Amino acid sequence: MPSNPRHLPRRTLRRAGTTVLLLALLSACGGGRDIDAVATPPAASCSVDDQKAWLVRYLDQSYFWYALAPRPDPAGFGNLDDFFEARLYDGSNPAFPRDRWSGWSSTESFQRFYGEGASMGYGVSVAGLELDRDGSRPLWVRYVEPASPAGLAGVVRGDEVLAINGRAAGELVAADDFAALTAENEGDTLTLRLRRAGAERTVVLRAAVFSLTPVQGVQVSTTPGGRKLGYLMVKDMVSQSLPAVDSAFARFRAEGVQDIVLDLRYNGGGLVSTSARIASYLAGPANAGRTYAQLRYSDRASANNQRFAFDSVAGTSLPRVLVLAGRRTCSASEQLVNGLRGVGVQVELIGEASCGKPVGFVPVQSCSRSWSIVNFESVNERGEGRYWDGFAPTCAVVEDFQAPANSAADPLFAAAQARADGAACPVATAGGRARPLSATERWQRGSARPDERQDMIPQ
């Protein structure tokens, strides 16, 4: 991998007329060469029949599970989405769970997210998944994008959601239906009835394009035991996060931190090159050049196998890394944990088990859709991968959504402080993970918003 991957020229690569998104407008790449995973000729047109024919060719050429996937007759399906679902690997081989990750998004949304570091919508996330359809418990705002309509309207983590667009929170949780939080178009409205400190209010949000804030909460604090502790939350593995990451680790070095807390509890992944860069800071200079990740394609596409190496950044040389994780820690963020462990770095996971997605995509565009269909699996230097059930926490802690992240009241952060001081992990309470985010419907079904992507993309 180049020592400064951000200097790679911006480009969109075309293979026989089909656009491989590697990515237009992006300048953060890694792996040292172009990807040619897609040699499939383009569709003759954007008609349903031509798109189905193109999809058959693409899956046979580039799908990781091409040999195990069902092969229904395309003529039996009247629309592309139903045919696509029917063609995905169904879990028939005990070595692999069913493919619950392959999906698509609009090319406009995809390019906005990875090319511009932006999203379109309301910018508010709730802790509905964590309730596991138990409508008896409160529904909390768990995360707000600072520059989003929700952030600008003063919605904050810990607000209790009483209703969304007139539907009671208990009804939404029971139905596992939070599609209203995903805007279809700019200008769409979302009405939230909220309660904070006993006072109720109604907030009307208008969907807009806003810049993501992928790195937040950078701080250096002192633990109860007197150790200097560096903290940063990385929400998205996008190239736009790297300047803030570089600045954070420069500060940690300057202030002589003795432990680092990397908060990935809401990080669904992103670019392998970005996760490798962050991991390089944590692995330290001694591991520069060693394997961070190996991306292994199917036997039909094995010429595309890639190796990502730890970079020679001025990183840390600390005895361990404390990672805050949970059911939404997914894909390229799990890859970071696996990559560090592969070179012997002690990684303590505090929180809940991660989502379990050791596979990734080389997105391809066809007729305004960006298809992210599983192309490869990721393993570390020791060949370890296939963590389908996620990584179990070494310190199991249940999140308190009313507590500001990285505050003394935040159970995950408090546990990290205790571990930095050498104290035992707090006794776990009830309410641990039952379902990871990756078990929900795919992007096009509306339950996982465009800014909650579960991605592992090489470049």
Side-chain angles (χ1 to χ4, degrees), residues 67-349:
L68 299 173
R71 283 177 165 75
D73 184 353
F77 298 85
N79 65 73
L80 187 60
D81 290 342
D82 288 346
F83 175 61
F84 173 61
E85 293 287 337
R87 277 299 309 259
L88 294 180
Y89 166 64
D90 57 7
S92 57
N93 187 313
F96 304 103
R98 69 177 179 87
D99 179 5
R100 57 183 186 264
W101 305 286
S102 295
W104 61 268
S105 62
S106 74
T107 297
E108 180 184 24
S109 170
F110 188 95
Q111 293 282 29
R112 180 185 290 129
F113 187 86
Y114 283 106
E116 303 168 22
S119 186
M120 189 282 291
Y122 308 110
V124 58
S125 303
V126 299
L129 178 66
E130 287 75 6
L131 296 179
D132 296 315
R133 302 197 181 188
D134 181 353
S136 65
R137 291 183 287 164
L139 176 64
W140 305 106
V141 171
R142 63 172 172 84
Y143 179 82
V144 176
E145 278 287 345
S148 71
L152 298 177
V155 181
V156 298
R157 173 184 169 91
D159 281 346
E160 183 182 353
V161 180
L162 303 177
I164 298 176
N165 286 349
R167 294 179 65 189
E171 176 188 344
L172 296 168
V173 171
D176 194 23
D177 181 7
F178 302 98
L181 298 175
T182 303
E184 295 291 332
N185 302 288
E186 289 186 65
D188 288 353
T189 59
L190 175 72
T191 301
L192 300 175
R193 187 156 61 89
L194 305 172
R195 180 162 55 204
R196 187 191 309 169
E200 294 187 16
R201 65 181 179 130
T202 297
V203 177
V204 179
L205 305 176
R206 189 172 296 275
V209 175
F210 59 89
S211 295
L212 300 170
T213 308
V215 177
Q216 298 179 40
V218 177
Q219 69 175 29
V220 176
S221 60
T222 303
T223 68
R227 291 180 67 82
K228 281 195 173 182
L229 190 69
Y231 169 95
L232 76 162
M233 172 185 278
V234 181
K235 167 64 166 56
D236 304 297
M237 298 292 189
V238 293
S239 61
Q240 290 81 5
S241 70
L242 292 177
V245 168
D246 294 343
S247 176
F249 280 95
R251 177 181 174 185
F252 295 161
R253 290 194 305 274
E255 298 193 31
V257 300
Q258 296 165 287
D259 281 287
I260 290 177
V261 177
L262 176 62
D263 193 340
L264 300 178
R265 71 182 90 179
Y266 302 143
N267 191 311
L271 301 179
V272 176
S273 52
T274 297
S275 64
R277 175 84 170 193
I278 297 170
S280 295
Y281 277 115
L282 299 167
N287 286 304
R290 296 183 67 182
T291 297
Y292 167 68
Q294 302 172 59
L295 309 186
R296 296 177 177 175
Y297 291 72
S298 74
D299 57 345
R300 284 188 175 175
S302 60
N304 297 304
N305 289 352
Q306 282 179 280
R307 173 183 176 270
F308 283 76
F310 286 98
D311 208 345
S312 56
V313 294
T316 58
S317 296
L318 302 177
R320 67 190 156 225
V321 177
L322 304 168
V323 174
L324 307 188
R327 65 190 75 191
R328 299 173 189 272
T329 305
C330 203
S331 207
S333 58
E334 291 177 293
Q335 184 185 56
L336 181 145
V337 173
N338 196 47
L340 289 173
R341 287 178 171 174
V343 294
V345 176
Q346 180 183 345
V347 182
E348 292 196 30
L349 254 62

